[in-house]
Structure formats: structure tokens, C-alpha cells
Amino acid sequence: MSRRRWWWLPGVVASLFGLTIQLGVTVDSLQRWARIVILHTNDTHGHLLPFSYPEGIDPNSQEAQLPSKHDIGGVARRATLFRQLRQQLPDQTLIVDCGDFMDGTPFSLHYFGEADVAAMNACGYDYATLGNHEFSNSLPQVQKLIRMARFPYVCANARLRATGEPLCHPYLLIQRSGLRIALFGLIVRDTQNYRGAREGVEILDPFEVAEQLVPQLRQQADVVILLSHLGIESDLELARRVPGIDVIVGGHSHTRLAQPRFVEWNKPLSKSLMGLNGTIVVQAHQWGGELGRLDIIAYRDRESNRWELVAYRSELIPITRQIAEDPAVARVVERYWKPIARQYGRIVGIAAGDFVQRGDDLAEYHLVSDAIRVVMGSEFDIQNLYGVRIQLAKGPITYYDLARMLPFGNTVVRFEITGRALKQILERQRPTCSANLRYRVENGRLVEATLNGEPIRDDAVYKGTTNSYFADRYLKPMNIPFVDTGRKRLDVVAEYIRQQKQVAPVIDGRRIVR
């Protein structure tokens, strides 16, 4: 099925619409047809510059399906596409982002989201919602980013705890192509565990908020669009549980939807035979390597005089080196890159191969745990999943590469733990680990755990290291004391690679989860 295929209803509507498209008409003389083009990004995570994936990535991964994997993305190239498409369809275009625009590169480490918002301003975004990683900042910084943006943020389930006021617009009513559009946002509930939310933001249940809000928006608008930072599974569940959302533009799960998903409503809201009566769900993977485009077509019913969505088309547009950079946006990026270029451009060492994932073996995580154990002199090291953000490519390793791999500013923590408690962590959290710690989990139960080739004893006490996030999230609730060394995990790993000069990926079966 082609990415450029139109999904529509059969019969006369399709015939009339086909004629309309062939003639190049987007709103006909009788104002019976209207087109909206949504250009969308999500989870760009500070990737203002172009990037590449390693050649050796898992052939079954989403990344392997990309038409281009080398020298892709870049916000200045994206801006060129925005400008071109907006010039073609000036009154029909909406440019939106679905959150997590920061936390992933040195731009976010140094500028706490301000470089990202400045670039988005220069690009000409129309609307956005917030992601959980924006709340890695303090609450005052989150509020500063909202004020700094030249485009409105929408988020209906985030409110200030002290006053009960919304953190930003819960929703907005706008117009495009003669259509009244209700645009609202939702953020994942887990955001309440991030610093900015802990400092004074209440994150309400997104499903409950949507159930209350969507019927109200349907009364005020022809089309209801959600900018979601909930993840694909929650988006699909929301579409099933809350009929009335015409489009969900998603983020958070980094899902590459080469084709849109369509969820038919159990209870049709339109009596017209022409309406789609369902929710279109789209998402554009991560880091701005591709630009999402969704075209939707509405038809005004003669009898009811109401607009009905009758067709849609979606594609992911590769952002490659063939797309020229927008000069104004490139200057903004350069303004923020120049002060940090010397620090992050330096070469730390050489990768002898691609640090990629092979089943349960996560070579990039192995590198981090092995490095911390050696440099800090601990008996073992453990790290949580999702804390190492990129797979490292063969060749020179720059400090910029390591900052992309470890972008969150976590510090190294020391702790002592009984063998019994360590085995509980291995069974429940299934962390990655240093080479001398090996374990196997089968059907949710820990069946084997050794340290330096010896079984871990329940009554023995072991000295370990981890990162500050893991310690706060998992050690503290278990009343396991720990000491924060204050050393950034990024710097410890960089020191190890400088000492070794060259590092090779290790695939050794140290962590097996079945």
C-alpha cells in the first residue's frame, strides 16, 4: 500500500473528490470541499543538527525501514520544507509539534530547551504540545519556554497545583480553509515524576480529561484535532474510548507510522453516510529525520450543512542532504552551536565497531556500565533502560556523540546492597549491567544471578554503582542508602574511552530476559 494512497469512502463522494483533486481545487466555488494539510513532528529531542544511524542497526527495527539513514534531519532543512509547503497551500497548512523537543543533545544540556524553542520560532511552527522531557527542567524554566515561544502551547491535563489554573492553553479554536478547528493537547501521566511537575504541576488523567472535553469541542468545531504526547498505544485506546476526536497527531513512543492508523468509532457521531466516523492516528518517529504530512478532506453535507471528514492521506517525507537549509534558521542554530562547538566537537576516542542492540545484548549500555565500574572501582554497575539514548556508530567518537548517548545530566551514585535486595532489583527492574554481573529472567522470575562467576548470596553485601535517576526511582523506595559522587555519568564514560583510546562493542549474553 503506497504511502501516498488516499483513504476515502466509495461512490459519488469519491468521484467528486477525485475530480476536485485532479483540477487542483482545494475549496470549490460552492464551498462544499475543504482540505487541511497538517505538517507534524514529535520527539525531536534537541536534534537541531543532521545526524546518522549506525550501519549495523537491527534489520527488524524501525530505523532500518528508513529510506535514508545517513546525514538526515536538521531543523534548517525542515524549515525549508515548511516554507515550500506553506507557500503552496497558505490557508490550508497547520505546522505542529507533539512534544519532547528537548533532552537529547548538547543543545538541551546547555540551553535547557531555549535553543530548541528559538529554532522552532524561526521555523514558523503554529502550535505545539508539551512532552514529559520538557519537565526535566525546573518549573520556572518550563514556564519560560512557554512564554518564549511565538506559537501557543496546548495541554488540557496539566495545571498549576497552587492555583488550579492551566499551565498553558487547554485548547484553542482556530480556522483553516473555512473550517472551525478545535485543537487540544494531552501529556502522559508519568510526567508527574519529572522535576518541573514535582515543583508544582498536577498532571490529570488524560482519558478522563478527554472524555469531558471532547463532547464540548464537538459542539464548537467542525474538526477536533488532538496533539498527543501519550504514545501510540494510549492514542489508539483513547480513539476507541472517546469518539469524536477526528485526528490524533502523536508522540512519546517514537513510533514510525509509515501509514496512518484508523480507529472506527463504536458509536457513529454523524448521521451522514459520507462521514468517516473514526479517528485518524499519525506519528513521525523521532529526531526530525522525517517530516509527517497528513492531508484531510472535508465535505459540507447539503441537508445538515455540517462538514464531514471524508478522506485522508498521510506520508513521511525524508529530510535528507538534498534539501537546502533555510538560511535564517541555520543562523539561529549556529548562534547556539558556536559557544559549545569546541567542547563538544573534540574527539574522545575510537569505536572499533557499531555499538548496537542484538536481542537482549545492548552494546551501548554495556559500554556505559563497564566504563563506570572500571573508573569508579565498584564491584558492579547497573543502569536502567531508556537512559542511553543512541546507538554509537563505528569511527571517531566525539563528545557530542557521547552527550547524545547520555543527555540527561545524571550523576554516578555509590551504594551497598544485600544479595537478596540486588536479586529483587534484577528480577523486577531488569537493568543492564557490567560484564562481571550476569543474570537470567524467565517468565518473570529470576532463575540465575552471578557476580564474578559466583552465585549472588542473599546475606552478602555488595558495593555497586548506578546513576542518580535509578537511585531516586528504585533504590530510595527500597530504603537502600546511596551516596551521590557528583560526577556526571557522561564525564565518567568519556574518561574511560580516553583511557582506552579505542573501545569495541561487546555481545556476551550478560543479561537474558525471556
Side-chain angles (χ1 to χ4, degrees):
M1 186 178 292
S2 169
R3 291 183 302 171
R4 295 292 292 170
R5 173 176 175 175
W6 283 97
W7 284 263
W8 53 16
L9 292 180
V12 65
V13 175
S15 300
L16 287 173
F17 174 64
L19 178 60
T20 301
I21 293 299
Q22 290 172 24
L23 294 175
V25 178
T26 54
V27 181
D28 67 323
S29 58
L30 297 177
Q31 295 187 326
R32 299 275 303 279
W33 298 97
R35 181 212 295 251
I36 302 295
V37 178
I38 303 171
L39 305 177
H40 58 96
T41 55
N42 58 274
D43 300 287
T44 51
H45 282 289
H47 284 74
L48 303 183
L49 296 174
F51 62 93
S52 300
Y53 287 101
E55 294 296 329
I57 54 177
D58 183 348
N60 297 314
S61 66
Q62 294 187 117
E63 291 74 22
Q65 311 311 312
L66 291 167
S68 298
K69 304 175 189 65
H70 181 72
D71 192 9
I72 60 175
V75 68
R77 295 170 179 170
R78 190 193 318 156
T80 296
L81 287 178
F82 286 170
R83 185 183 66 252
Q84 291 172 348
L85 293 169
R86 179 168 268 157
Q87 287 172 351
Q88 294 172 16
L89 300 164
D91 185 49
Q92 291 100 52
T93 304
L94 274 175
I95 302 177
V96 301
D97 183 79
C98 291
D100 275 7
F101 59 77
M102 62 158 288
D103 245 11
T105 73
F107 289 103
S108 301
L109 278 172
H110 263 253
Y111 301 111
F112 308 104
E114 293 178 30
D116 306 283
V117 172
M120 293 170 75
N121 283 341
C123 277
Y125 275 86
D126 294 313
Y127 304 97
T129 196
L130 295 163
N132 51 299
H133 279 276
E134 278 73 89
F135 289 84
S136 298
N137 292 308
S138 66
L139 178 55
Q141 181 65 12
V142 174
Q143 294 171 311
K144 180 180 180 180
L145 295 176
I146 293 171
R147 292 192 303 270
M148 179 181 171
R150 296 179 197 156
F151 49 88
Y153 283 97
V154 289
C155 189
N157 67 323
R159 67 185 183 188
L160 295 170
R161 196 175 294 118
T163 63
E165 293 295 312
L167 179 64
C168 55
H169 301 283
Y171 67 90
L172 290 169
L173 297 173
I174 63 175
Q175 286 206 358
R176 287 291 192 282
S177 278
L179 294 174
R180 297 171 303 161
I181 300 173
L183 196 73
F184 74 109
L186 292 172
I187 192 171
V188 64
R189 194 78 184 273
D190 184 58
T191 304
Q192 61 196 0
N193 296 317
Y194 285 69
R195 175 188 175 187
R198 293 198 309 267
E199 291 179 0
V201 176
E202 183 179 10
I203 307 297
L204 306 176
D205 184 284
F207 289 86
E208 293 178 1
V209 170
E211 286 170 345
Q212 295 175 7
L213 184 59
V214 170
Q216 301 173 31
L217 298 180
R218 295 288 310 178
Q219 295 298 316
Q220 303 176 68
D222 303 308
V223 179
V224 176
I225 299 174
L226 167 62
L227 304 187
S228 164
H229 198 81
L230 302 178
I232 184 61
E233 295 304 324
S234 292
D235 288 343
L236 296 173
E237 178 65 20
L238 185 64
R240 287 188 288 267
R241 283 177 48 178
V242 186
I245 305 171
D246 294 295
V247 176
I248 297 179
V249 186
H252 184 57
S253 55
H254 296 221
T255 305
R256 184 177 185 267
L257 288 182
Q259 299 172 10
R261 301 286 292 273
F262 184 77
V263 179
E264 189 172 354
W265 300 330
N266 293 329
K267 182 180 178 182
L269 299 184
S270 170
K271 296 180 180 179
S272 169
L273 296 177
M274 295 186 291
L276 290 174
N277 274 309
T279 302
I280 307 158
V281 181
V282 294
Q283 194 174 147
H285 197 209
Q286 64 182 11
W287 305 349
E290 295 176 299
L291 172 64
R293 173 176 174 169
L294 172 67
D295 293 50
I296 56 176
I297 301 298
Y299 177 78
R300 190 196 294 270
D301 182 70
R302 284 183 176 178
E303 294 184 7
S304 66
N305 201 37
R306 288 187 60 84
W307 288 98
E308 306 283 357
L309 290 192
V310 296
Y312 60 96
R313 179 175 70 183
S314 175
E315 67 173 322
L316 298 176
I317 305 170
I319 299 180
T320 66
R321 69 180 77 180
Q322 281 71 42
I323 300 172
E325 292 189 340
D326 179 279
V329 177
R331 286 194 294 272
V332 171
V333 175
E334 178 63 19
R335 186 170 77 240
Y336 285 96
W337 171 244
K338 190 173 181 179
I340 63 175
R342 180 183 294 272
Q343 177 182 357
Y344 288 99
R346 70 181 190 270
I347 294 175
V348 178
I350 303 295
D354 290 330
F355 284 77
V356 295
Q357 301 181 5
R358 289 289 180 267
D360 292 329
D361 268 306
L362 314 175
E364 68 275 32
Y365 284 87
H366 294 351
L367 172 63
V368 172
S369 280
D370 290 342
I372 293 173
R373 187 183 74 84
V374 169
V375 173
M376 303 303 292
S378 58
E379 289 187 72
F380 68 91
D381 182 83
I382 54 176
Q383 300 289 321
N384 55 284
L385 292 175
Y386 308 111
V388 179
R389 302 298 283 191
I390 70 163
Q391 299 177 67
L392 202 60
K394 179 181 179 180
I397 304 170
T398 65
Y399 198 64
Y400 183 89
D401 297 325
L402 293 182
R404 286 182 63 216
M405 190 168 77
L406 301 167
F408 300 139
N410 300 129
T411 50
V412 174
V413 164
R414 295 185 184 275
F415 63 97
E416 294 187 359
I417 189 171
T418 64
R420 181 180 292 104
L422 176 57
K423 288 195 286 189
Q424 288 177 359
I425 288 176
L426 298 179
E427 181 176 274
R428 296 172 185 173
Q429 308 306 332
R430 303 168 189 179
T432 60
C433 56
S434 53
N436 62 329
L437 175 61
R438 304 176 70 87
Y439 71 96
R440 177 191 293 268
V441 174
E442 294 181 355
N443 299 318
R445 299 296 301 273
L446 183 72
V447 297
E448 181 184 1
T450 64
L451 184 64
N452 297 321
E454 298 292 330
I456 295 175
R457 294 181 289 112
D458 287 350
D459 57 350
V461 176
Y462 301 96
K463 296 180 180 181
T465 47
T466 187
N467 65 77
S468 51
Y469 172 84
F470 190 99
D472 286 334
R473 195 76 181 268
Y474 303 115
L475 299 185
K476 187 180 290 185
M478 295 177 68
N479 295 316
I480 298 171
F482 56 86
V483 176
D484 196 323
T485 67
R487 295 198 63 184
K488 286 188 177 181
R489 180 172 60 163
L490 167 62
D491 291 333
V492 172
V493 174
E495 179 182 332
Y496 173 80
I497 295 174
R498 279 196 297 268
Q499 290 174 355
Q500 300 296 315
K501 295 184 174 58
Q502 179 171 290
V503 289
V506 177
I507 303 296
D508 57 5
R510 66 184 71 175
R511 171 187 176 271
I512 299 175
V513 179
R514 295 287 185 263

